[in-house]
Amino acid sequence: MPFIEELLNYGTLSIAGLEKNTGKTETLNYILSRLPISRIRVGVTSTGIDGERVDQVTRSSKPEIFLKEGVIFTTSEKHYRERKLLSELLNISDITTSLGRLVTAKALSRGKIMLSGPVTTASLKRWIISLKKGFNVDLCIIDGALSRLSLASPAVSEAMILATGASLSLNIREIVNKTAFAAELIGLPLSQTNDIETLLGYDQGIWSIGKDGELGGPIFESAFTMENRSTMKMEDGGAIYLTGALTERFLKMISSDAKLIEKEIIIKDFTRIFVTPNLLRNYLKKGGKITVLQKTKLIALTVNPISPNGYVLDSNRLIDELSGRVNIPVYDIIKNGYKI
Amino acid sequence: MGTRFKDILDSTYGIRFIFSKLNLSSALSATLIKESKIMTEREDIIKAYRELKEFSDFVNLNQNNSLTEKIKIELCEIRDIRSTLKRVSEGSTPDDIELFEIKSLSMINQKVKIFMESTDIKCIKLPDLEGVTNLLDPEGSRITSFYIYDAYSDDLRMVRKELSSKKLEPEEAIYKMSLIEDRIRGYISAKLRERISDIYESLIGLARIDTLIAKAGQLKELNLIMPSQSINTTTYSGMFNPEVKELLKSDGKEYQLIDIEFSVSEPLLITGSNMGGKSLTLKTLALCQYLFQFGFGIPAREASIVAVDKVFLSVGDEQDYRKGLSSFAAEIKRIDNMLSAANSGKIILSLTDEPAGTTNPKEGTALAAALLKVLLKKRALSVITTHYNIEKIECKRLKVIGFENGAMNYKLSLTVDNCAPEEAIRIADEMGANSEWINAARAELEVNND
């Protein structure tokens, strides 16, 4: 049974999909059905924006999660009322989402539930703490979203499983390229700065960090207002901290300046990068350095070779080519008959 | 319509500061304070301070710190479930989430009730919700969680057994279960409806305990006192503005306490140099009056206060440009409102900063003097500040002592001198204003005096 044993080494796990229909829900259901619930306490929730998971018209694209008895879960009031399992309500939080307050409950029977949890990174972190402290949960699982629309970053978890597949492209090489790039981003090193929590607290602007760690700024409100480059002539060394996204334009500007390229770029986590693979690789080759404040460990890839419009790719070839590019295990959960 | 606390929360006289310094445990208490109406009846105010005294005697004793903390921790979990209770009382059946809310409330009530019974506080009696707790915790686990427990019905236990042993198809079992659960919810909601007024009383009672603990703690923290009631004369000795005091303290300066006394139908006229703190005194008087009539501690060494029906504060900085009124027009409207309230037989507190101070001195003096004359006949406690020389009106007069040995003395002293002080130019000079301007002003003054 792939990677289940390894999961027991972590306190938090996120499952993220590179696209819709990459089999994220199947992966989550696979894990939830295989975890030894009798040995460890498992808590699960989902981030992501409401529109993504609830198709109000067709009501079809809402993925339901299958829970076993004993699993703790957090969802919105609305989805709690629609649950198809027996559960004991444990807590109602003050955090509200567009689907109501978040409620935490324990499954008392097997059954299905729709999950809709914290929508910001801060509330996601609070959720992890409240489950660990309040209900002695050993492993918190986050059904995450890797969308630029999502405010809650799955990078807050210690470990991550990434779902990929034919919904990205029908060209195996392209799937491999895109997935390998995502794995590269997830692998960016953790920043060595002393005060990660302080930096995470800033929500706006671009900051300079001196050689001795002293913080200056914000030197710009955002990368968009950064017209006058001359003001970037700061002292040598040190780092630049971006509270928002790392964009093409910003990286191009840094790459083309021999002085600036020596500066380390610090971002919150890998989901903040919006640049093409070529640009990023060029920058790194030139000696540029990008670090993150929150790092997660990618422990496995799962693939779904079936595209939404019915094409089926060769699962073995997809797995082989992916394995050749990334240094982590790759599984096709559905094909290998790990039926849920 | 009485003033509600939220109407005055963002006034210029600093209610927000007092409110923000109130260490409340539950957001419900804050909501209820904001919704509360001003007390104008003598008995209500006496009762409010009697309660505050009971809590203060308890909370501000060091030996009770841990018990107070325990109560506060329980109160943190109080949620505003008034709409849930309303729904239940109107006959709708609560779902698991709402039953969870009621269960946690009744459990908190029972814990706080025991804590409160071990104190000398008698003014708030929480209802006994043991029955409600039992109803929602049939297995007696006393854990804050909820579902329709097996213990409610043998049928339910059976179906659930069949579900877990997979004798029944899940779909079918869930359906059968939901039928039984609905029946049980109906039973629970009928039972709850019988106790709904007690549950509501508990919710409000717990929020009041929270509020009174916070108000009592604030007495100590901000150095506030409990005032006495007076029929005719409001007296403050050692009055201060808590917000300004704190600002001065952070600058390493000390606040000068104010003594002031004024009676119904006997207007008090305050004169004194600019920057003598006259406007601040008026604002602090408004603050104290509201704190009194909402049952808070009063920032003074001693206070005896007359309850009024309405407070009118007219300070120049409240010019409402959005209504398109000039500062003069806005002031005339404010004073006019105040006078019509005074004419309606209500007892009012009228605080007017420099009436007609923005117009020519001749007419301004006439308007200010006339205001004093008119207020003399009303059932009003009036305090008026002015720079004008108002000579022939019978009223009590206080003067800001002003510059003394190179420093400003904000204290008020009784004066028989009817002339307003002439210190404006000197103060402007001390502030380092443009010397060409100041010297020219001095010269002007001499020409006029000659």
Side-chain angles (χ1 to χ4, degrees), chain A residues 60-290:
Chain A
S60 60
S61 63
K62 310 178 294 185
E64 282 179 319
I65 306 297
F66 195 88
L67 296 184
K68 280 203 292 195
E69 208 174 315
V71 174
I72 308 237
F73 61 93
T74 297
T75 188
S76 65
E77 274 180 89
K78 177 182 171 6
H79 288 156
Y80 189 74
R81 292 193 166 103
E82 294 167 358
R83 70 198 182 279
K84 292 177 198 153
L85 50 76
L86 177 63
S87 60
E88 179 174 15
L89 188 53
L90 300 177
N91 185 39
I92 303 177
S93 94
D94 287 332
I95 302 168
T96 43
T97 69
S98 56
L99 297 174
R101 290 172 296 180
L102 295 186
V103 301
T104 298
K106 184 169 129 185
L108 296 178
S109 78
R110 302 159 63 84
K112 285 178 183 171
I113 176 86
M114 210 142 44
L115 293 179
S116 47
V119 288
T120 63
T121 304
S123 59
L124 185 59
K125 279 183 173 170
R126 277 204 299 279
W127 173 76
I128 294 170
I129 293 166
S130 75
L131 254 67
K132 297 218 166 230
K133 285 202 173 153
F135 307 108
N136 300 317
V137 167
D138 301 303
L139 176 61
C140 289
I141 302 179
I142 302 149
D143 177 9
L146 270 194
S147 149
R148 63 173 82 193
L149 295 173
S150 170
L151 292 170
S153 171
V156 301
S157 65
E158 294 165 35
M160 175 181 274
I161 291 173
L162 190 61
T164 182
S167 62
L168 262 74
S169 163
L170 290 179
N171 179 332
I172 286 187
R173 187 181 298 161
E174 205 172 325
I175 298 173
V176 171
N177 282 340
K178 282 187 174 170
T179 310
F181 183 55
E184 245 172 82
L185 296 183
I186 298 171
L188 284 172
L190 190 66
S191 165
Q192 295 303 309
T193 178
N194 299 325
D195 219 349
I196 287 188
E197 286 307 317
T198 313
L199 289 184
L200 281 173
Y202 293 116
D203 280 334
Q204 269 188 342
I206 296 172
W207 302 67
S208 80
I209 298 173
K211 259 181 278 187
D212 304 318
E214 71 277 9
L215 195 63
I219 44 181
F220 299 105
E221 292 300 314
S222 82
F224 296 108
T225 58
M226 225 177 60
E227 290 300 336
N228 191 358
R229 214 174 83 183
S230 60
T231 50
M232 280 290 281
K233 301 277 183 223
M234 297 165 294
E235 55 169 303
D236 297 343
I240 303 168
Y241 170 47
L242 305 178
T243 52
L246 174 60
T247 58
E248 291 257 323
R249 191 159 144 240
F250 187 83
L251 197 61
K252 268 182 194 156
M253 188 201 83
I254 299 278
S255 302
S256 58
D257 190 320
K259 267 204 146 169
L260 288 177
I261 208 160
E262 286 169 14
K263 287 186 180 294
E264 177 181 334
I265 298 178
I266 303 175
I267 50 175
K268 285 194 171 171
D269 57 59
F270 76 91
T271 63
R272 306 298 171 118
I273 299 178
F274 298 105
V275 297
T276 57
N278 277 339
L279 184 61
L280 186 82
R281 285 172 192 144
N282 275 339
Y283 171 72
L284 295 176
K285 254 186 215 156
K286 278 188 191 170
K289 190 177 176 193
I290 300 176

Side-chain angles (χ1 to χ4, degrees), chain B residues 228-279:
Chain B
S228 60
Q229 288 247 9
S230 168
I231 310 274
N232 222 17
T233 303
T234 290
T235 314
Y236 294 98
S237 64
M239 180 180 80
F240 61 92
N241 186 298
E243 188 172 5
V244 178
K245 187 182 170 188
E246 201 168 282
L247 283 171
L248 288 176
K249 205 178 160 188
S250 65
D251 284 350
K253 293 178 191 152
E254 201 168 321
Y255 192 97
Q256 268 172 328
L257 303 176
I258 303 280
D259 296 339
I260 193 168
E261 184 179 302
F262 46 95
S263 306
V264 175
S265 306
E266 193 190 349
L268 168 64
L269 186 69
I270 303 179
T271 56
S273 53
N274 296 76
M275 294 174 63
K278 296 190 301 295
S279 308

Side-chain angles (χ1 to χ4, degrees), chain A residues 24-42:
Chain A
K24 184 171 63 130
T25 306
E26 283 77 6
T27 304
L28 179 59
N29 278 331
Y30 166 81
I31 291 168
L32 285 171
S33 65
R34 296 298 193 284
L35 278 170
I37 304 290
S38 53
R39 266 202 289 149
I40 62 163
R41 241 178 198 239
V42 175

